[in-house]
Amino acid sequence: MQGKVRKSERMYKWLGSSAVFRVLLVLNALVVAGVIWASRNTMLSDGWSYLRLAEGILHGQYSMWWQLGPGYPDTFRTPGYPLLIAGSLKLFGSWKPVLVLQFLLYAGSIHLSLLTVDRLGGGREGRSLFLLLLLPMVNVPFYIAQLYTEIPVLAAIALAVYLMVRFPVWTWRVAVSIGLLLGFAFQCRPAFLLIPFVLVGAAWLVDRNPGMARPQLLMLLVFCITVVPFGIWTKVNHGVFKVTPLEGAGSYMHLGYWSGKMPGYTDTYYLRNFNGDELLRFTPKDSIAANIRAYGREWEGIKAQLDPLLTAKDSAMMALPTYKTHQQRTYSTRYTLLREQLLTKLALKHYWDDPWYTLKFKAYSAVRLWVVGIQAETFKEASFMGKLGMLYATSSTGLEFLLFLVLVPLAYARKALSFRATWPFVLFVVYCTIIHLPFTIQSRYTVPVRMLMIILMVMAVLGLWGRTTGAAIRRKG
């Protein structure tokens, strides 16, 4: 026992060294540089659609199909990130400065996370431990070099949570700032629509502070104001007031059900998503072909109801190839709304009628949202170095997620960590997991809250060590 205590003392002293802190900073910088260099020639599919929307904005249309003229208002994405890209195109004539901005936002997110650890009482030991746990997470800085929303949303959430920790009692400026930050997060990622309301509801349950009611309501008001312009745009262009895009949730829920039954299949009817050929399968191998046929029959039934709604503009758009730029087809309003309605209804019916498969597959999805997966065929065909890279990504994210599941609940159970001091971190992590469960498996969905997960792990470790930092955390509770 004394040997373990001495090792703990040495580790704590090592983490408290200023030299160790500086070395960990340098190592993280080198990892980021290496990841950016390795992915410098990669342009993932979603980046093209964001870029086309940004070009459309500069041509006076919020559309991926602005080249075809008016009449193709977008139905697929909120405008936050396309506006950011459009600003870069307008100022610099290129989208690449967005990647420079994302590098700065990532660095800023690390700085804010270190400040947050300090505010929670972590000290230099906590800051060093944060950098140590962040070091293996190559899946996070990967998105610096991609036209994806992950890094801007990561930065917005990091700042919002820092403000919550820094100001236990909000001034009106803090309330407005948090409302704007969460509004920006939503405009980039519509899945965060409910987070401000869940946040306020949880605060009323946990903190029970009547003095916070006004600033919290002000934050909600500011957030609601940020979503109204897009709702008005949707009303003007599609005839319905809707603050989220016309399509998305139902389609991803529908494919989110079928994806576990069709491993290795690429959808050809709508989203063109590849259904991961996971190492752990949820359907017998000899049933995959039959499931693909059943999926096709279901879509033929859907198309039979949708095809009569196709317009001449839809036909002109369908005649153009999309495989090179991965543009999402933008159909007429009536077509899009009916498709979303049909897919949502079918998805809910499938989940309800197939509960055992749903529970198993979604339990697995909850883990895979945090753990980078390995695709069986891709792994088999990869080079030796490619296989090593896949194994590293899976093992590093898997180990950290396992540590999180063990350390944080243990620290709460032993009262080494105050729930009242850290519940916003838990809320973001849990919300981000639950809100994405019905959809297809994408570990990138949790990138915006990865640093919050690491902060919780840091404070749990310090609390379990029984340091004065842990005591400070308990007093704040």
Side-chain angles (χ1 to χ4, degrees):
M1 183 68 180
Q2 286 182 342
K4 289 183 179 179
V5 171
R6 283 195 294 269
K7 286 181 181 178
S8 175
E9 292 283 350
R10 286 197 296 270
M11 183 65 176
Y12 190 77
K13 185 178 180 181
W14 180 78
L15 289 170
S17 165
S18 59
V20 168
F21 178 76
R22 288 194 294 270
V23 168
L24 288 170
L25 270 178
V26 171
L27 288 175
N28 272 276
L30 290 174
V31 167
V32 170
V35 170
I36 291 175
W37 177 260
S39 59
R40 68 192 183 280
N41 296 321
T42 303
M43 180 77 158
L44 297 180
S45 58
D46 285 8
W48 291 107
S49 62
Y50 285 120
L51 182 56
R52 295 292 171 258
L53 285 171
E55 292 170 346
I57 289 170
L58 295 180
H59 285 82
Q61 300 178 54
Y62 187 59
S63 171
M64 297 184 201
W65 300 92
W66 55 270
Q67 306 98 321
L68 294 176
Y72 297 91
D74 189 63
T75 58
F76 196 58
R77 298 201 184 280
T78 41
Y81 197 58
L83 282 168
L84 194 65
I85 301 171
S88 177
L89 291 171
K90 182 72 172 178
L91 292 173
F92 305 104
S94 170
W95 53 266
K96 291 186 178 179
V98 173
L99 307 185
V100 177
L101 174 62
Q102 290 184 167
F103 171 78
L104 296 175
L105 289 174
Y106 182 75
S109 300
I110 293 176
H111 179 63
L112 287 166
S113 297
L114 296 176
L115 290 177
T116 302
V117 169
D118 255 348
R119 295 298 305 181
L120 290 172
R124 185 183 291 154
E125 295 83 4
R127 297 198 303 273
S128 293
L129 184 55
F130 175 87
L131 293 174
L132 184 64
L133 292 172
L134 180 64
L135 194 58
M137 297 290 99
V138 295
N139 61 310
V140 181
F142 171 80
Y143 290 98
I144 294 173
Q146 298 297 322
L147 281 181
Y148 272 54
T149 61
E150 272 62 31
I151 299 301
V153 177
L154 170 72
I157 290 175
L159 180 53
V161 173
Y162 170 72
L163 290 174
M164 293 176 203
V165 174
R166 173 69 178 81
F167 301 98
V169 177
W170 298 355
T171 64
W172 70 268
R173 290 184 179 86
V174 172
V176 169
S177 297
I178 293 174
L180 290 174
L181 288 165
L182 296 181
F184 173 75
F186 162 74
Q187 291 297 340
C188 291
R189 291 279 296 275
F192 286 100
L193 173 64
L194 300 178
I195 193 67
F197 304 96
V198 175
L199 188 68
V200 170
W204 288 348
L205 288 173
V206 177
D207 291 336
R208 300 182 182 275
N209 184 355
M212 281 287 286
R214 284 188 178 181
Q216 286 168 347
L217 291 175
L218 175 60
M219 182 274 286
L220 289 180
L221 176 63
V222 171
F223 175 81
C224 290
I225 290 172
T226 67
V227 307
V228 166
F230 185 64
I232 294 173
W233 178 89
T234 306
K235 175 66 176 176
V236 170
N237 288 274
H238 294 293
V240 293
F241 183 87
K242 194 168 184 288
V243 299
T244 57
L246 293 193
E247 59 179 311
S251 54
Y252 277 104
M253 284 175 61
H254 182 255
L255 193 57
Y257 167 81
W258 279 103
S259 59
K261 291 179 174 288
M262 307 183 297
Y265 171 74
T266 299
D267 170 55
T268 58
Y269 290 94
Y270 177 20
L271 293 171
R272 293 175 292 177
N273 272 32
F274 172 76
N275 298 303
D277 187 10
E278 304 284 334
L279 295 179
L280 182 61
R281 284 183 171 174
F282 293 86
T283 191
K285 187 175 181 179
D286 57 5
S287 70
I288 295 174
N291 290 337
I292 293 173
R293 289 194 295 271
Y295 178 75
R297 287 194 299 272
E298 185 162 282
W299 257 106
E300 290 304 322
I302 294 169
K303 281 172 57 62
Q305 299 178 68
L306 292 176
D307 286 350
L309 301 180
L310 289 172
T311 65
K313 285 184 175 292
D314 292 334
S315 299
M317 174 199 59
M318 292 166 64
L320 297 179
T322 62
Y323 62 90
K324 288 184 179 178
T325 56
H326 301 277
Q327 288 165 269
Q328 185 66 30
R329 284 178 171 167
T330 304
Y331 291 90
S332 65
T333 299
R334 289 180 63 204
Y335 183 104
T336 303
L337 289 174
L338 179 59
R339 180 180 59 191
E340 190 72 5
Q341 178 186 336
L342 293 173
L343 291 174
T344 301
K345 184 177 179 180
L346 283 168
L348 293 175
K349 182 178 186 302
H350 288 321
Y351 285 137
W352 181 259
D353 291 344
D354 201 355
W356 181 233
Y357 160 79
T358 298
L359 287 172
K360 290 189 297 181
F361 186 49
K362 293 308 171 182
Y364 175 75
S365 299
V367 175
R368 274 284 282 107
L369 282 168
W370 293 95
V371 180
V372 176
I374 293 177
Q375 306 306 316
E377 287 301 319
T378 305
F379 184 80
K380 189 185 300 182
E381 296 170 2
S383 64
F384 175 74
M385 292 304 296
K387 287 183 171 68
L388 281 182
M390 294 179 204
L391 289 170
Y392 173 78
T394 299
S395 58
S396 60
T397 53
L399 179 59
E400 290 222 354
F401 184 58
L402 179 61
L403 287 173
F404 173 80
L405 291 180
V406 172
L407 293 173
V408 174
L410 182 62
Y412 283 135
R414 294 187 177 180
K415 301 192 183 304
L417 187 60
S418 166
F419 183 73
R420 287 191 63 189
T422 56
W423 67 262
F425 300 83
V426 178
L427 184 140
F428 273 95
V429 168
V430 172
Y431 176 89
C432 202
T433 303
I434 292 175
I435 204 69
H436 290 108
L437 276 184
F439 305 149
T440 52
I441 297 172
Q442 301 257 13
S443 60
R444 68 180 176 87
Y445 289 154
T446 57
V447 165
V449 297
R450 292 267 173 169
M451 290 190 183
L452 303 187
M453 179 190 79
I454 295 175
I455 291 173
L456 274 175
M457 291 170 65
V458 167
M459 304 318 298
V461 169
L462 294 177
L464 290 168
W465 272 348
R467 297 296 170 180
T468 54
T469 51
I473 297 167
R474 287 194 294 271
R475 283 198 298 272
K476 288 186 178 183

